[in-house]
Amino acid sequence: NAGVTQTPKFRVLKTGQSMTLLCAQDMNHEYMYWYRQDPGMGLRLIHYSVGEGTTAKGEVPDGYNVSRLKKQNFLLGLESAAPSQTSVYFCASSANRGVLSPLHFGNGTRLTVT
Amino acid sequence: AQTVTQSQPEMSVQEAETVTLSCTYDTSENNYYLFWYKQPPSRQMILVIRQEAYKQQNATENRFSVNFQKAAKSFSLKISDSQLGDTAMYFCAFMTPVNYGGATNKLIFGTGTLLAVQP
C-alpha cells in the first residue's frame, strides 16, 4: 500500500521556468491538499480539493495552480517560478472532511528556485 | 485569526527521560481539535496524537500524552521514556470543523520544535 506518493522528490528550477508536481494517492480519498513548509513558518495550505474536478484556495495560493482531473491525482503547477517559491512541498489526503479522518502525507518535494 | 505558537525552537532530552513540548493557540471558537505531528528526518509527517476540545480527559497514546488546558489555550505534549527514534521535528496543529458545503477542515500548524534525543 503506497499511500500518498509525490514526484519528483527534488527539483531545481531557474527563475521563470515552469513545472508540475504530482501527487497520487491509492486510498480512494476524497480530499487532497498541497502544503508548503518553510523554515520557521510551519506548514501552510496552498490549495485543496474536496473531490474530483474541484479545487479551492488555501492560505498562500498566489503563484500556484492546481488541477484534480482524476480522484487519485492532485497536480500543483508553478507557471513562472520565483525564488520565493523555494520550499518543501507536501501533499496530503483524507477520506473526508471529518476531523476524525486523519491526513496522510507524502514524503515531500524539495524545490529550489535559483 | 487563529494562530498556533510553539515557543521552543529546539529541545534536547536524554534517552529514557521525559520531555514536554509546549504549544499555545488562539481562537474564539469553542469547538475545535488539536494535533501533534512528528516529522523525522525522512520528512514524513506522522500523526502522533489528537485531542478534541470538548473532551476534558487528556489524550494518551502509549508513551505520548497531552496536557490540554482549554481555558489557558495550552496543549503540551509529554514524551515519556524517550527513545532515539523520537528525534524529529514536532508540530502542533489546530483545526476548526467547517460545516458549510464545499469547504474543508483546514489544519493550522505551529512553527515546530526540533527534538533531539541524546544517547
Side-chain angles (χ1 to χ4, degrees):
Chain A
N1 188 351
V4 178
T5 303
Q6 292 182 230
T7 52
K9 291 183 171 56
F10 303 93
R11 185 73 187 267
V12 178
L13 287 179
K14 294 183 177 179
T15 298
Q17 287 184 320
S18 63
M19 77 161 294
T20 300
L21 305 184
L22 170 64
C23 177
Q25 51 93 6
D26 61 1
M27 297 171 283
N28 200 35
H29 283 174
E30 290 293 334
Y31 287 70
M32 297 187 75
Y33 314 79
W34 276 107
Y35 287 89
R36 60 178 288 173
Q37 182 180 22
D38 302 294
M41 298 288 288
L43 277 78
R44 292 179 294 168
L45 182 64
I46 305 171
H47 285 281
Y48 63 96
S49 168
V50 303
E52 181 179 318
T54 72
T55 63
K57 294 180 179 180
E59 295 175 72
V60 288
D62 294 342
Y64 305 94
N65 56 75
V66 288
S67 64
R68 184 100 181 267
L69 299 180
K70 294 183 179 180
K71 185 177 183 179
Q72 63 268 34
N73 295 336
F74 193 30
L75 306 180
L76 177 71
L78 287 73
E79 290 186 348
S80 179
S84 62
Q85 294 177 305
T86 293
S87 187
V88 179
Y89 292 86
F90 285 93
C91 177
S93 71
S94 63
N96 55 58
R97 70 180 186 196
V99 293
L100 298 183
S101 176
L103 268 66
H104 296 256
F105 284 86
N107 284 342
T109 296
R110 182 176 294 279
L111 174 66
T112 302
V113 183
T114 60
Chain B
Q2 294 148 343
T3 59
V4 177
T5 302
Q6 292 179 251
S7 58
Q8 305 154 313
E10 296 183 21
M11 293 192 72
S12 181
V13 64
Q14 291 296 123
E15 197 174 5
E17 294 188 346
T18 296
V19 64
T20 298
L21 309 183
S22 65
C23 172
T24 59
Y25 58 93
D26 187 25
T27 183
S28 58
E29 301 288 338
N30 190 49
N31 183 26
Y32 51 88
Y33 297 79
L34 295 159
F35 306 83
W36 278 98
Y37 279 87
K38 170 185 177 181
Q39 186 181 40
S42 66
R43 287 205 311 240
Q44 179 74 39
M45 291 287 286
I46 303 165
L47 178 63
V48 174
I49 201 165
R50 173 179 58 219
Q51 174 79 41
E52 291 84 11
Y54 63 84
K55 288 187 177 179
Q56 293 185 341
Q57 186 174 5
N58 288 324
T60 299
E61 287 286 344
N62 301 316
R63 297 183 295 108
F64 298 87
S65 61
V66 299
N67 183 4
F68 174 49
Q69 302 287 331
K70 190 172 183 179
K73 297 180 181 175
S74 170
F75 182 60
S76 60
L77 174 70
K78 185 172 82 171
I79 306 174
S80 304
D81 186 24
S82 297
Q83 301 175 0
L84 296 178
D86 295 334
T87 291
M89 181 74 85
Y90 287 82
F91 290 97
C92 179
F94 170 98
M95 176 189 285
T96 301
V98 176
N99 296 317
Y100 50 90
T104 185
N105 305 303
K106 301 174 189 177
L107 276 175
I108 299 171
F109 286 86
T111 53
T113 296
L114 180 60
L115 176 66
V117 180
Q118 307 292 342

